[in-house]
Amino acid sequence: MIDEPDVLSAFREHLASGIARRNRLPRFEPLETTPWIAMSVLQKAIRRARTNLALRAAATLQLNAPDKLWRRCGGIAFEDVGVADLDVMGMVPAGLAGKRVRASLGGEWSVASYIVEVMAEARKCRATDNLLMGVELHPDLAELRRNLPALSNDQLRRFILGTASLQQRAVALWYLLGTDRRPSKHLAMRRGEPALAFDVLDELGAPLTAVALAREGFRRTREVLCPFAALLLVEDECPSCRSEDDALPPETMIGSVPGWALDQYTREGRIAFRRFLQTGCKAARRLCLLVPAGRRLEVLGGLVFSVEGGLLTNRMRWPWGDELRRQFDTECHGLGASVAAELLDLLRADIAVLNRVRAEVMGGGNYAH
């Protein structure tokens, strides 16, 4: 039987051979934007298979914020590619092994550009992130979120190995990893035992490759997305279903940056969301009527993510992926399923209004559909 070091070594060799086979090194052509918008462009362009745009965003980060580039790539591999392509998910942590390793593979841009290209072209699945959001926000898990922190590590282990559902196991696994290592405002602070958490994944029957990647990814990024990928593969060891493209809403370019880059995690995006809520369009009016003022920005950000930011080209369709996506879209916004569905439909119809506001926030320069 091969062990984890052999698995990780194989992915490093896979990365090296892929870089060596390239015919050309992509141009280093940064965008004129902030690192925060560049991070948003990088991730969403990879989701949409917009390789050239993703490369320009990566160049921006390598120039101005290289640590953000490597951390964001590590997150994307587990959040947006995930179980849909274990080869790609495994190569990315290999590229995060440090500057000396990257120098031996041709240098920073050689490794970064290759990783970005393969992630953009890969089949994708966002089940890990949808599972994470459900752990934090799904109302059916509220009692579990409150009660599990009182259990010992061994009790958490036995809970995970028992008859709990996927989502219940995920809550317990996060607490066993330790919310001190990867905090959440929705989970109590608790010191965990990461080594035991990964041993439990092995006991559950997660594939060796997935456990090795999860352990290495968590070591590099501290993201709970990494062990969640292995947990998903306990439910289905090798999802091999059809893929299809999500229906993307109309896009607006604001200079060299797409409007969808302005999300709730960028300063400009938050300003645009506040102004959108004041436009009087149907989506804004209905949201203001149904959601208390203190929650409107957060709820709008989540809804925009569902109708725009989290969409994928070449999405793997499989039962758990579809169900976790449905739960996030309709049951995790704190609105009730019917209200969430209504607001999502209204927002899809008013996305052009949001894009117009985004262009105004960015100064209105070179605004084009």
Side-chain angles (χ1 to χ4, degrees):
M1 177 184 292
I2 59 173
D3 57 18
E4 288 192 9
D6 291 331
V7 170
L8 298 174
S9 177
F11 280 111
R12 285 192 289 271
E13 291 174 6
H14 190 24
L15 174 63
S17 64
I19 292 173
R21 290 194 305 267
R22 299 171 95 184
N23 295 323
R24 60 174 182 82
L25 185 67
R27 290 179 59 189
F28 188 83
E29 189 178 6
L31 298 166
E32 294 184 6
T33 192
T34 67
W36 292 272
I37 290 180
M39 285 191 290
S40 179
V41 172
L42 172 65
Q43 187 156 16
K44 294 179 180 66
I46 285 174
R47 288 173 183 158
R48 295 169 178 236
R50 299 277 290 276
T51 305
N52 290 337
L53 184 59
L55 286 168
R56 294 196 66 190
T60 308
L61 292 171
Q62 184 176 313
L63 182 65
N64 299 316
D67 288 346
K68 289 182 171 62
L69 168 64
W70 296 112
R71 183 171 180 83
R72 182 54 60 103
C73 283
I76 294 169
F78 287 90
E79 180 177 343
D80 298 309
V81 177
V83 299
D85 195 323
L86 290 185
D87 284 341
V88 171
M89 192 173 76
M91 278 194 293
V92 176
L96 272 60
K99 291 184 178 180
R100 288 185 179 179
V101 171
R102 293 193 288 271
S104 71
L105 295 171
E108 298 288 300
W109 182 237
S110 178
V111 177
S113 59
Y114 182 74
I115 284 174
V116 167
E117 286 180 335
V118 296
M119 288 197 294
E121 294 163 7
R123 187 165 72 156
K124 301 173 184 70
C125 177
R126 286 192 33 78
T128 52
D129 191 53
N130 288 330
L131 179 59
L132 182 151
M133 298 305 296
V135 166
E136 291 188 306
L137 300 172
H138 200 287
D140 291 351
L141 299 174
E143 184 176 357
L144 208 61
R145 287 191 288 267
R146 290 192 299 269
N147 294 339
L148 284 184
L151 299 185
S152 68
N153 287 341
D154 185 62
Q155 287 173 320
L156 287 173
R157 169 187 168 274
R158 285 187 274 120
F159 180 89
I160 295 167
L161 294 174
T163 58
S165 70
L166 169 67
Q167 292 95 325
Q168 291 169 337
R169 283 174 166 171
V171 180
L173 182 63
W174 195 336
Y175 278 125
L176 186 54
L177 283 162
T179 48
D180 59 329
R181 293 171 181 265
R182 199 321 193 153
S184 166
K185 66 180 181 180
H186 304 284
L187 302 179
M189 189 63 70
R190 183 186 188 281
R191 186 171 183 175
E193 190 176 343
L196 179 58
F198 289 105
D199 288 345
V200 170
L201 287 170
D202 187 49
E203 286 185 84
L204 272 175
L208 171 64
T209 298
V211 176
L213 292 180
R215 198 189 307 267
E216 180 70 4
F218 185 74
R219 187 171 74 85
R220 297 284 179 190
T221 69
R222 287 293 184 265
E223 288 291 345
V224 74
L225 296 164
C226 306
F228 279 4
L231 183 61
L232 281 164
L233 289 173
V234 172
E235 301 295 328
D236 188 335
E237 288 194 6
C238 187
S240 56
C241 306
R242 64 187 175 88
S243 300
E244 66 181 26
D245 297 345
D246 292 338
L248 301 175
E251 177 181 298
T252 291
M253 293 298 295
I254 307 169
S256 60
V257 175
W260 41 253
L262 276 64
D263 60 16
Q264 63 181 319
Y265 302 108
T266 64
R267 181 182 65 85
E268 296 87 348
R270 291 190 294 273
I271 293 171
F273 284 2
R274 292 189 185 97
R275 293 186 186 179
F276 174 80
L277 290 171
Q278 299 170 358
T279 61
C281 69
K282 289 183 179 180
R285 290 201 312 270
R286 190 65 173 153
L287 193 149
C288 289
L289 179 66
L290 295 172
V291 180
R295 291 197 64 232
R296 287 171 190 163
L297 199 64
E298 176 188 358
V299 169
L300 177 59
L303 295 171
V304 170
F305 188 85
S306 288
V307 304
E308 179 190 66
L311 300 185
L312 301 177
T313 295
N314 199 16
R315 181 190 290 269
M316 182 177 76
R317 301 296 305 275
W318 62 303
W320 267 120
D322 291 349
E323 174 58 17
L324 291 169
R325 182 187 183 190
R326 183 199 66 78
Q327 288 182 13
F328 171 71
D329 286 349
T330 62
E331 298 174 6
C332 292
H333 297 298
L335 303 169
S338 61
V339 171
E342 176 192 2
L343 289 174
L344 288 170
D345 286 341
L346 290 173
L347 188 54
R348 289 186 186 98
D350 282 336
I351 202 73
V353 178
L354 177 58
N355 282 331
R356 185 173 66 247
V357 173
R358 286 163 162 165
E360 292 168 356
V361 167
M362 295 292 282
N366 299 321
Y367 170 44
H369 289 287

